[in-house]
Amino acid sequence: MVKKIGIIRCNARSENCAGFHCLPAVCKKIGPFQEYEAIELVGFDTCGGCGQGKSEKIVAKAQRLKDKGVEVIHIGNCIINSRPFVESYIKDIKEKANTDIVRGAH
Ligand code: SF4
């Protein structure tokens, strides 16, 4: 079965990273993507700019991915490893965009 996924990464980090680890991980189905039988990468987006803990922008991005058919969103390592408020983002995305979340994209 093909899983429709989306990736949300750190907007600030996108200044110097174009998905150099997460996109190969999707293509090779390694790391957090190895569990999927087959993958369709529906969207690769940023958080929309640092909300400093306010989740409106990242929830809107998650909703847009959901509207395009995404079944599960992977939150980029660049957010997971560097943003202390990431758990509140994940909680809000799950509640407001009603989307499954995986922490990490490589
Ligand atoms: S998750 Fe890793 S590879 Fe992907 S955009 Fe963030 S820093 Fe770059």
Side-chain angles (χ1 to χ4, degrees):
M1 194 163 82
V2 177
K3 197 67 154 181
K4 293 182 178 220
I5 67 163
I7 296 174
I8 297 181
R9 64 209 172 107
C10 173
N11 192 68
R13 188 66 189 274
S14 71
E15 297 290 322
N16 52 41
C17 182
F20 298 129
H21 301 289
C22 48
L23 296 179
V26 171
C27 296
K28 298 175 189 157
K29 263 182 8 88
I30 56 175
F33 303 107
Q34 62 191 326
E35 65 175 81
Y36 304 123
E37 209 177 301
I39 297 171
E40 179 186 337
L41 179 60
V42 174
F44 180 64
D45 208 340
T46 72
C47 61
C50 200
Q52 298 295 334
K54 294 194 187 73
S55 65
E56 287 77 14
K57 286 190 269 188
I58 196 168
V59 168
K61 294 289 187 130
Q63 187 61 57
R64 185 169 69 174
L65 288 170
K66 175 107 189 262
D67 294 345
K68 294 289 181 187
V70 164
E71 298 166 292
V72 59
I73 292 176
H74 284 248
I75 304 294
N77 300 50
C78 41
I79 298 177
I80 299 291
N81 300 337
S82 66
R83 299 293 176 249
F85 36 75
V86 66
E87 289 307 319
S88 66
Y89 279 179
I90 290 172
K91 179 177 163 295
D92 289 352
I93 292 170
K94 283 182 175 175
E95 284 172 10
K96 297 173 184 167
N98 190 22
T99 312
D100 290 341
I101 296 284
V102 172
R103 292 165 181 79
H106 57 80

XYZ file of all heavy atoms in Angstrom:
817
model
N 0.830 -1.201 0.000
C 0.000 0.000 0.000
C 0.871 1.260 0.000
O 1.834 1.354 0.734
C -0.908 0.028 1.233
C -1.979 1.091 1.017
S -3.352 0.935 2.110
C -2.647 1.776 3.529
N 0.502 2.218 -0.818
C 1.259 3.469 -0.916
C 0.814 4.418 0.190
O -0.383 4.646 0.356
C 1.046 4.149 -2.290
C 1.785 5.472 -2.353
C 1.471 3.226 -3.408
N 1.774 4.941 0.948
C 1.466 5.904 2.010
C 1.742 7.301 1.484
O 2.826 7.560 0.954
C 2.343 5.621 3.223
C 1.879 6.252 4.501
C 0.569 5.650 4.954
C 0.361 5.755 6.434
N -0.923 5.118 6.841
N 0.760 8.179 1.627
C 0.923 9.576 1.186
C 1.484 10.389 2.342
O 0.822 10.526 3.375
C -0.418 10.139 0.724
C -0.930 9.471 -0.536
C -2.228 10.065 -0.992
C -2.656 9.382 -2.278
N -3.225 10.334 -3.241
N 2.707 10.878 2.168
C 3.338 11.602 3.263
C 3.664 13.034 2.882
O 3.782 13.382 1.707
C 4.617 10.898 3.747
C 5.697 10.943 2.677
C 4.372 9.474 4.217
C 7.072 10.636 3.241
N 3.817 13.821 3.948
C 4.283 15.195 3.810
C 5.397 15.405 4.815
O 5.465 14.694 5.824
N 6.286 16.357 4.525
C 7.362 16.705 5.450
C 7.258 18.196 5.749
O 7.080 18.995 4.829
C 8.747 16.392 4.856
C 8.917 14.886 4.619
C 9.867 16.916 5.759
C 10.200 14.492 3.892
N 7.318 18.535 7.024
C 7.389 19.947 7.421
C 8.727 20.163 8.100
O 9.070 19.444 9.043
C 6.242 20.362 8.343
C 4.896 20.238 7.633
C 6.450 21.798 8.835
C 3.692 20.657 8.470
N 9.468 21.132 7.606
C 10.802 21.397 8.136
C 10.901 22.825 8.625
O 10.017 23.631 8.402
C 11.838 21.142 7.058
C 11.712 22.075 5.876
C 12.186 21.454 4.613
N 11.882 22.316 3.461
C 12.791 22.997 2.807
N 14.054 22.944 3.182
N 12.473 23.735 1.779
N 12.023 23.144 9.235
C 12.238 24.462 9.846
C 12.480 25.510 8.759
O 13.349 25.327 7.909
C 13.442 24.372 10.773
S 13.980 25.933 11.449
N 11.721 26.567 8.803
C 11.868 27.629 7.810
C 13.253 28.262 7.881
O 13.895 28.479 6.849
C 10.793 28.690 8.028
C 10.703 29.670 6.887
O 10.311 29.310 5.802
N 11.104 30.899 7.141
N 13.710 28.532 9.085
C 15.030 29.153 9.251
C 16.116 28.221 8.699
O 17.018 28.658 7.976
C 15.282 29.454 10.724
N 15.967 26.944 8.989
C 16.971 25.964 8.548
C 16.937 25.797 7.033
O 17.925 25.414 6.416
C 16.741 24.624 9.252
C 17.834 23.625 9.017
C 19.161 24.045 9.629
N 20.220 23.159 9.199
C 20.509 22.016 9.806
N 19.820 21.610 10.844
N 21.502 21.272 9.371
N 15.807 26.111 6.427
C 15.704 25.946 4.960
C 16.611 26.921 4.225
O 16.850 26.759 3.033
C 14.254 26.120 4.513
O 13.854 27.475 4.636
N 17.114 27.894 4.964
C 18.075 28.819 4.346
C 19.322 28.079 3.884
O 19.951 28.446 2.895
C 18.487 29.896 5.367
C 17.358 30.801 5.839
C 16.883 31.755 4.736
O 17.749 32.233 3.979
O 15.652 31.933 4.603
N 19.691 27.016 4.625
C 20.925 26.319 4.230
C 20.753 24.810 4.086
O 21.750 24.094 3.997
C 22.063 26.630 5.213
C 21.636 26.386 6.639
O 20.964 25.403 6.923
N 21.995 27.297 7.526
N 19.522 24.361 4.070
C 19.320 22.932 3.832
C 18.095 22.726 2.925
O 17.010 23.166 3.258
C 19.103 22.161 5.129
S 18.920 20.389 4.818
N 18.307 22.081 1.811
C 17.226 21.859 0.844
C 16.707 20.434 0.934
O 16.259 19.863 -0.045
C 17.728 22.161 -0.564
N 16.799 19.886 2.144
C 16.334 18.515 2.339
C 17.408 17.505 1.973
O 17.107 16.423 1.484
N 18.661 17.871 2.238
C 19.785 17.046 1.777
C 19.818 15.667 2.434
O 20.465 14.762 1.919
C 21.104 17.791 2.019
C 21.199 19.094 1.262
C 21.530 20.272 1.905
C 20.913 19.137 -0.097
C 21.612 21.477 1.206
C 20.979 20.331 -0.805
C 21.327 21.508 -0.151
N 19.140 15.512 3.558
C 19.091 14.200 4.207
C 17.696 13.584 4.121
O 17.551 12.391 3.896
C 19.529 14.305 5.666
C 20.922 14.839 5.828
N 22.038 14.123 5.487
C 21.365 16.051 6.249
C 23.109 14.868 5.702
N 22.728 16.042 6.167
N 16.670 14.407 4.290
C 15.337 13.827 4.350
C 14.854 13.352 2.970
O 14.227 12.296 2.875
C 14.325 14.733 5.014
S 14.280 16.428 4.471
N 15.167 14.081 1.907
C 14.707 13.632 0.593
C 15.371 12.325 0.158
O 14.682 11.407 -0.304
C 14.874 14.739 -0.440
C 14.009 15.985 -0.162
C 14.258 17.061 -1.221
C 12.537 15.622 -0.086
N 16.699 12.167 0.351
C 17.288 10.852 0.052
C 16.699 9.749 0.936
O 16.515 8.616 0.470
C 18.770 11.057 0.358
C 19.001 12.512 0.190
C 17.733 13.162 0.670
N 16.381 10.078 2.183
C 15.809 9.061 3.082
C 14.452 8.587 2.559
O 14.127 7.400 2.634
C 15.670 9.625 4.491
N 13.670 9.529 2.014
C 12.385 9.157 1.417
C 12.625 8.271 0.191
O 12.027 7.211 0.043
C 11.585 10.420 1.005
C 10.362 10.026 0.193
C 11.181 11.232 2.220
N 13.527 8.715 -0.682
C 13.781 7.983 -1.932
C 14.288 6.572 -1.671
O 13.879 5.625 -2.337
C 14.781 8.754 -2.798
S 14.149 10.343 -3.330
N 15.172 6.414 -0.664
C 15.763 5.098 -0.373
C 14.927 4.319 0.647
O 15.270 3.183 0.991
C 17.185 5.282 0.155
C 18.148 5.942 -0.823
C 19.498 6.185 -0.168
C 20.389 7.040 -1.043
N 21.449 7.734 -0.231
N 13.877 4.923 1.147
C 13.004 4.319 2.167
C 13.829 3.823 3.345
O 13.769 2.651 3.747
C 12.184 3.172 1.585
C 10.797 3.647 1.186
C 9.834 2.653 0.635
C 10.140 1.207 0.629
N 9.720 0.547 1.887
N 14.598 4.742 3.934
C 15.414 4.404 5.100
C 14.997 5.263 6.284
O 14.197 6.179 6.144
C 16.918 4.583 4.803
C 17.216 6.008 4.322
C 17.411 3.560 3.784
C 18.691 6.301 4.126
N 15.561 4.941 7.471
C 15.231 5.684 8.678
C 13.742 5.595 9.000
O 13.168 4.502 8.958
N 13.081 6.716 9.266
C 11.667 6.673 9.653
C 10.746 6.280 8.507
O 9.542 6.121 8.702
C 11.386 8.108 10.108
C 12.374 8.945 9.412
C 13.616 8.082 9.260
N 11.308 6.113 7.293
C 10.474 5.776 6.139
C 10.541 4.290 5.798
O 9.817 3.839 4.904
C 10.899 6.613 4.934
C 10.851 8.088 5.190
C 12.012 8.822 5.346
C 9.630 8.732 5.336
C 11.964 10.173 5.628
C 9.572 10.091 5.618
C 10.737 10.815 5.763
N 11.382 3.539 6.488
C 11.564 2.132 6.116
C 10.327 1.285 6.403
O 10.133 0.248 5.764
C 12.790 1.542 6.795
C 12.741 1.525 8.307
C 14.117 1.161 8.879
O 14.873 0.380 8.306
N 14.467 1.794 9.987
N 9.455 1.756 7.277
C 8.273 0.943 7.630
C 7.198 0.945 6.552
O 6.324 0.088 6.540
C 7.648 1.464 8.929
C 7.085 2.874 8.759
C 6.350 3.343 10.004
O 7.044 3.788 10.935
O 5.116 3.269 10.020
N 7.257 1.882 5.625
C 6.223 1.994 4.597
C 6.502 1.025 3.438
O 7.638 0.897 2.988
C 6.140 3.415 4.051
C 5.902 4.483 5.104
C 6.778 5.548 5.259
C 4.793 4.410 5.945
C 6.572 6.529 6.212
C 4.574 5.386 6.913
C 5.460 6.444 7.043
O 5.247 7.403 7.995
N 5.455 0.390 2.957
C 5.569 -0.504 1.804
C 5.986 0.299 0.573
O 6.890 -0.071 -0.161
C 4.201 -1.152 1.565
C 4.224 -2.525 0.940
C 2.797 -3.060 0.837
O 2.129 -3.181 1.894
O 2.333 -3.271 -0.308
N 5.303 1.407 0.381
C 5.606 2.320 -0.727
C 5.231 3.728 -0.273
O 4.371 3.887 0.593
C 4.818 1.934 -1.970
N 5.908 4.728 -0.843
C 5.726 6.108 -0.388
C 5.383 7.014 -1.565
O 5.965 6.888 -2.644
C 7.026 6.652 0.234
C 7.430 5.860 1.471
C 6.896 8.124 0.579
C 8.808 6.228 1.997
N 4.443 7.921 -1.343
C 4.220 9.027 -2.273
C 4.469 10.304 -1.484
O 3.760 10.582 -0.510
C 2.799 9.019 -2.828
C 2.537 10.178 -3.786
C 1.073 10.249 -4.228
O 0.379 9.198 -4.154
O 0.619 11.357 -4.590
N 5.518 11.048 -1.862
C 5.800 12.314 -1.180
C 4.891 13.377 -1.801
O 5.135 13.855 -2.907
C 7.269 12.695 -1.339
C 7.684 14.027 -0.676
C 7.434 14.016 0.823
C 9.154 14.338 -0.981
N 3.837 13.726 -1.072
C 2.838 14.658 -1.601
C 3.295 16.100 -1.454
O 3.035 16.942 -2.308
C 1.486 14.457 -0.883
C 0.471 15.492 -1.302
C 0.971 13.052 -1.102
N 3.991 16.399 -0.327
C 4.409 17.777 -0.108
C 5.613 17.889 0.803
O 5.804 17.056 1.695
N 6.426 18.922 0.552
C 7.653 19.183 1.313
C 7.630 20.667 1.637
O 7.894 21.473 0.761
C 8.850 18.819 0.439
C 10.204 19.026 1.062
C 10.580 18.298 2.170
C 11.107 19.912 0.510
C 11.838 18.467 2.737
C 12.358 20.097 1.064
C 12.720 19.369 2.184
N 7.279 20.995 2.840
C 7.012 22.400 3.159
C 7.804 22.842 4.381
O 8.423 22.028 5.068
C 5.506 22.593 3.423
C 5.033 23.996 3.086
O 5.883 24.913 3.016
O 3.817 24.171 2.906
N 7.790 24.145 4.636
C 8.413 24.661 5.856
C 7.319 24.980 6.871
O 6.125 24.981 6.553
C 9.209 25.958 5.601
O 8.291 27.018 5.378
C 10.173 25.805 4.458
N 7.749 25.364 8.058
C 6.804 25.664 9.141
C 6.083 26.999 8.917
O 5.106 27.292 9.595
C 7.549 25.723 10.464
S 8.802 27.010 10.486
N 6.622 27.775 7.965
C 5.989 29.064 7.691
C 6.653 30.219 8.407
O 6.167 31.344 8.348
N 7.735 29.946 9.084
C 8.425 31.015 9.808
C 8.196 30.808 11.292
O 7.093 30.455 11.710
N 9.221 31.104 12.094
C 9.173 30.686 13.490
C 8.031 31.334 14.264
O 7.955 32.558 14.345
C 10.489 30.956 14.209
S 10.585 29.932 15.691
N 7.182 30.458 14.806
C 6.067 30.975 15.596
C 6.440 31.138 17.043
O 5.602 31.541 17.844
N 7.683 30.803 17.372
C 8.120 30.946 18.770
C 7.127 30.282 19.727
O 6.811 30.821 20.779
C 8.305 32.433 19.133
C 9.364 33.139 18.328
C 10.761 32.604 18.573
O 11.044 32.054 19.628
N 11.614 32.679 17.567
N 6.591 29.138 19.312
C 5.674 28.402 20.176
C 4.221 28.569 19.782
O 3.382 27.763 20.175
N 3.925 29.624 19.014
C 2.544 29.777 18.540
C 2.400 28.904 17.297
O 3.161 29.049 16.347
C 2.244 31.236 18.209
C 2.273 32.146 19.439
C 1.638 33.509 19.096
C 1.812 34.463 20.252
N 3.248 34.922 20.359
N 1.383 28.080 17.268
C 1.333 27.025 16.250
C 0.485 27.343 15.019
O 0.386 26.510 14.113
C 0.784 25.751 16.891
O -0.563 25.954 17.292
N -0.130 28.537 14.964
C -1.047 28.820 13.855
C -0.439 28.531 12.488
O -1.045 27.867 11.648
C -1.529 30.276 13.897
C -2.519 30.597 14.999
C -1.849 30.746 16.367
O -0.610 30.863 16.418
O -2.575 30.672 17.377
N 0.775 29.009 12.262
C 1.366 28.877 10.924
C 1.651 27.415 10.589
O 1.323 26.950 9.497
C 2.642 29.703 10.830
C 2.381 31.197 10.733
C 3.648 31.970 10.403
C 4.354 32.397 11.657
N 5.488 33.312 11.393
N 2.237 26.675 11.511
C 2.581 25.287 11.192
C 1.312 24.430 11.080
O 1.245 23.528 10.237
C 3.584 24.693 12.211
C 4.233 23.421 11.655
C 2.962 24.449 13.581
C 5.430 22.906 12.443
N 0.277 24.744 11.857
C -0.995 24.017 11.739
C -1.623 24.293 10.375
O -2.135 23.377 9.723
C -1.956 24.386 12.887
C -3.361 23.859 12.613
C -1.443 23.852 14.216
N -1.535 25.532 9.902
C -2.079 25.871 8.583
C -1.348 25.104 7.485
O -1.969 24.594 6.540
C -1.960 27.376 8.342
N -0.026 24.967 7.641
C 0.753 24.202 6.647
C 0.345 22.728 6.690
O 0.225 22.079 5.652
C 2.248 24.342 6.947
C 2.805 25.730 6.782
C 2.877 26.128 5.329
C 3.583 27.446 5.162
N 4.646 27.377 4.140
N 0.152 22.213 7.887
C -0.255 20.809 8.031
C -1.633 20.589 7.410
O -1.863 19.599 6.712
C -0.265 20.421 9.506
N -2.539 21.554 7.636
C -3.882 21.439 7.078
C -3.837 21.436 5.553
O -4.537 20.659 4.890
C -4.767 22.594 7.568
C -6.217 22.461 7.164
C -6.866 21.212 7.720
O -6.888 21.002 8.930
N -7.366 20.347 6.827
N -2.962 22.273 5.005
C -2.850 22.340 3.546
C -2.336 21.009 2.991
O -2.840 20.517 1.979
C -1.909 23.476 3.143
C -1.834 23.688 1.644
C -1.120 24.969 1.277
N 0.311 24.909 1.570
C 1.155 25.867 1.217
N 0.688 26.941 0.586
N 2.448 25.773 1.492
N -1.374 20.403 3.669
C -0.875 19.094 3.232
C -1.998 18.054 3.334
O -2.182 17.241 2.426
C 0.320 18.676 4.087
C 1.628 19.428 3.854
C 2.651 19.081 4.944
C 2.204 19.122 2.476
N -2.745 18.124 4.416
C -3.870 17.189 4.608
C -4.879 17.354 3.479
O -5.350 16.373 2.916
C -4.536 17.478 5.961
C -5.782 16.662 6.237
C -5.532 15.632 7.253
C -6.690 14.694 7.360
N -7.611 14.984 8.447
N -5.170 18.607 3.130
C -6.129 18.879 2.050
C -5.656 18.319 0.709
O -6.463 18.031 -0.165
C -6.357 20.393 1.913
C -7.044 20.983 3.147
O -7.582 20.185 3.958
O -6.987 22.217 3.324
N -4.341 18.139 0.568
C -3.778 17.587 -0.670
C -3.678 16.065 -0.615
O -3.090 15.452 -1.506
C -2.393 18.190 -0.930
C -2.411 19.680 -1.219
C -3.002 19.999 -2.562
C -2.988 21.496 -2.833
N -3.728 21.838 -4.075
N -4.183 15.468 0.467
C -4.239 14.008 0.533
C -3.208 13.361 1.436
O -3.133 12.136 1.516
N -2.403 14.163 2.124
C -1.386 13.592 3.018
C -2.033 12.814 4.156
O -2.986 13.283 4.780
C -0.469 14.706 3.560
C 0.337 14.236 4.762
C 0.451 15.207 2.466
N -1.506 11.606 4.423
C -2.024 10.761 5.506
C -1.174 10.874 6.775
O -1.685 10.731 7.879
C -2.038 9.291 5.043
C -2.946 9.043 3.846
C -2.675 7.685 3.226
O -1.582 7.507 2.655
O -3.546 6.810 3.365
N 0.134 11.107 6.600
C 1.020 11.251 7.758
C 2.068 12.314 7.480
O 2.580 12.401 6.360
C 1.676 9.896 8.120
C 2.490 9.322 6.972
C 2.518 9.983 9.375
N 2.305 13.157 8.489
C 3.291 14.230 8.345
C 4.526 13.903 9.172
O 4.415 13.569 10.358
C 2.717 15.583 8.789
C 1.620 16.032 7.812
C 3.812 16.649 8.867
C 0.911 17.316 8.210
N 5.684 13.966 8.527
C 6.950 13.820 9.239
C 7.469 15.206 9.582
O 7.599 16.052 8.699
C 7.967 13.075 8.361
C 7.717 11.606 8.294
N 8.579 10.685 8.864
C 6.702 10.886 7.749
C 8.104 9.459 8.669
N 6.969 9.561 7.988
N 7.722 15.410 10.873
C 8.290 16.678 11.322
C 9.810 16.561 11.212
O 10.407 15.634 11.759
C 7.878 16.995 12.764
C 6.356 17.004 12.918
C 8.489 18.315 13.232
C 5.621 18.104 12.181
N 10.423 17.469 10.471
C 11.847 17.420 10.180
C 12.724 17.430 11.427
O 12.372 18.052 12.430
N 13.848 16.769 11.327
C 14.811 16.753 12.430
C 15.224 18.171 12.799
O 15.517 18.449 13.962
C 16.049 15.954 12.019
C 15.698 14.539 11.669
O 14.777 14.309 10.877
N 16.397 13.597 12.234
N 15.211 19.061 11.856
C 15.616 20.439 12.101
C 14.637 21.148 13.033
O 14.992 22.151 13.650
C 15.781 21.208 10.800
S 14.506 20.869 9.582
N 13.420 20.639 13.124
C 12.460 21.164 14.102
C 12.563 20.343 15.392
O 12.695 20.900 16.485
C 11.018 21.139 13.564
C 10.878 22.035 12.328
C 10.028 21.578 14.643
C 9.484 22.007 11.698
N 12.551 19.021 15.246
C 12.575 18.125 16.412
C 13.777 18.413 17.300
O 13.655 18.500 18.524
C 12.607 16.645 15.959
C 11.360 16.286 15.148
C 12.800 15.713 17.160
C 10.064 16.246 15.960
N 14.940 18.602 16.679
C 16.182 18.718 17.465
C 16.489 20.117 17.934
O 17.450 20.315 18.682
C 17.373 18.198 16.641
C 17.203 16.750 16.261
O 16.459 16.019 16.915
N 17.827 16.350 15.163
N 15.724 21.096 17.530
C 16.141 22.466 17.870
C 15.040 23.362 18.414
O 15.316 24.506 18.748
C 16.720 23.131 16.606
O 15.695 23.292 15.657
N 13.815 22.895 18.450
C 12.734 23.773 18.908
C 12.095 23.226 20.187
O 11.431 22.188 20.148
C 11.689 23.938 17.820
C 12.249 24.565 16.546
C 12.653 26.011 16.776
N 13.279 26.609 15.595
C 14.551 26.939 15.511
N 15.373 26.692 16.515
N 15.053 27.495 14.425
N 12.248 23.925 21.325
C 11.745 23.409 22.606
C 10.224 23.274 22.646
O 9.680 22.510 23.434
C 12.232 24.440 23.631
C 12.487 25.676 22.846
C 12.910 25.225 21.471
N 9.550 23.969 21.761
C 8.076 23.944 21.777
C 7.499 22.949 20.770
O 6.323 22.980 20.471
C 7.522 25.351 21.499
C 8.345 26.137 20.512
C 8.297 25.841 19.166
C 9.192 27.143 20.942
C 9.063 26.541 18.256
C 9.964 27.865 20.041
C 9.900 27.553 18.700
N 8.337 22.057 20.244
C 7.870 21.161 19.180
C 6.712 20.274 19.628
O 5.796 20.007 18.837
C 9.040 20.306 18.620
C 9.580 19.340 19.658
C 8.622 19.574 17.369
N 6.711 19.868 20.892
C 5.625 18.982 21.342
C 4.277 19.703 21.336
O 3.248 19.102 21.040
C 5.950 18.401 22.713
C 7.065 17.375 22.684
C 6.836 16.251 21.674
O 5.676 15.769 21.566
O 7.791 15.872 20.939
N 4.275 20.983 21.618
C 2.992 21.709 21.567
C 2.554 21.862 20.107
O 1.359 21.795 19.804
C 3.132 23.085 22.237
O 4.003 23.913 21.494
N 3.503 22.010 19.189
C 3.163 22.037 17.761
C 2.518 20.711 17.356
O 1.474 20.688 16.707
C 4.418 22.224 16.916
C 4.929 23.644 16.796
C 6.079 23.916 16.071
C 4.277 24.704 17.425
C 6.562 25.209 15.942
C 4.746 26.001 17.297
C 5.889 26.234 16.555
O 6.374 27.510 16.429
N 3.156 19.624 17.765
C 2.658 18.301 17.370
C 1.255 18.066 17.930
O 0.358 17.595 17.214
C 3.642 17.204 17.821
C 4.917 17.294 16.980
C 3.010 15.816 17.745
C 6.054 16.399 17.431
N 1.057 18.459 19.160
C -0.266 18.308 19.795
C -1.315 19.098 19.006
O -2.378 18.569 18.665
C -0.173 18.805 21.239
C -1.452 18.747 22.029
C -1.187 19.198 23.484
C -2.452 19.556 24.196
N -3.126 20.744 23.618
N -0.985 20.343 18.664
C -1.943 21.175 17.936
C -2.215 20.660 16.524
O -3.350 20.690 16.051
C -1.447 22.627 17.884
C -1.526 23.304 19.249
O -2.107 22.696 20.178
O -0.984 24.415 19.388
N -1.170 20.166 15.842
C -1.367 19.624 14.487
C -2.296 18.409 14.551
O -3.229 18.283 13.750
C -0.030 19.247 13.834
C 0.802 20.495 13.545
C -0.260 18.463 12.534
C 2.239 20.202 13.125
N -2.054 17.543 15.536
C -2.904 16.345 15.677
C -4.361 16.735 15.942
O -5.280 16.195 15.339
C -2.390 15.461 16.816
C -1.162 14.653 16.466
C -0.765 13.773 17.639
C 0.405 12.863 17.276
N 0.870 12.078 18.450
N -4.533 17.713 16.849
C -5.894 18.105 17.239
C -6.583 18.907 16.145
O -7.724 18.618 15.772
C -5.860 18.919 18.529
C -5.633 18.067 19.769
C -5.398 18.930 21.012
O -5.600 20.166 20.917
O -4.977 18.370 22.034
N -5.886 19.930 15.609
C -6.559 20.873 14.702
C -6.557 20.419 13.252
O -7.517 20.637 12.524
C -5.927 22.256 14.851
C -6.114 22.816 16.259
C -5.363 24.102 16.478
C -5.504 24.566 17.923
N -4.548 25.633 18.270
N -5.470 19.775 12.805
C -5.419 19.289 11.422
C -5.764 17.804 11.349
O -5.889 17.251 10.256
C -4.038 19.552 10.821
N -5.907 17.188 12.529
C -6.321 15.783 12.583
C -5.467 14.903 11.670
O -5.970 14.139 10.857
C -7.809 15.691 12.210
C -8.360 14.311 12.468
O -7.796 13.565 13.274
N -9.386 13.954 11.735
N -4.142 15.055 11.825
C -3.202 14.319 10.975
C -2.244 13.502 11.829
O -1.816 13.957 12.889
C -2.368 15.321 10.142
O -3.251 16.267 9.560
C -1.603 14.624 9.056
N -1.906 12.321 11.381
C -0.893 11.519 12.064
C 0.466 12.183 11.903
O 0.748 12.763 10.854
C -0.824 10.098 11.478
C -2.076 9.299 11.838
O -2.771 9.703 12.802
O -2.359 8.315 11.133
N 1.288 12.065 12.953
C 2.591 12.719 12.983
C 3.674 11.696 13.278
O 3.497 10.813 14.106
C 2.637 13.791 14.087
C 1.643 14.914 13.819
C 4.039 14.331 14.287
C 2.076 15.871 12.740
N 4.797 11.841 12.562
C 6.001 11.077 12.908
C 7.102 12.091 13.196
O 7.276 13.058 12.437
C 6.430 10.125 11.777
C 7.780 9.482 12.082
C 5.369 9.051 11.546
N 7.796 11.896 14.296
C 8.905 12.783 14.641
C 10.163 12.347 13.898
O 10.637 11.247 14.128
C 9.158 12.750 16.158
C 8.046 13.375 16.987
C 8.162 12.983 18.461
N 7.100 13.556 19.264
C 5.861 13.061 19.315
N 5.540 11.989 18.577
N 4.918 13.635 20.061
N 10.660 13.188 12.987
C 11.889 12.871 12.262
C 11.637 12.581 10.793
O 10.598 12.066 10.413
N 12.635 12.992 9.998
C 12.555 12.754 8.551
C 13.871 12.234 7.985
O 14.063 12.247 6.774
C 12.169 14.066 7.851
N 14.764 11.815 8.872
C 15.926 11.077 8.420
C 16.652 10.475 9.624
O 16.326 10.871 10.769
C 16.885 11.914 7.574
C 17.423 13.169 8.188
N 18.455 13.191 9.078
C 17.040 14.468 8.046
C 18.713 14.455 9.440
N 17.847 15.250 8.841
S 14.999 17.411 8.327
Fe 17.202 17.457 8.040
S 17.564 17.256 5.830
Fe 15.397 17.755 6.148
S 15.294 19.960 5.915
Fe 15.549 19.555 8.097
S 17.773 19.584 8.444
Fe 17.435 19.435 6.246
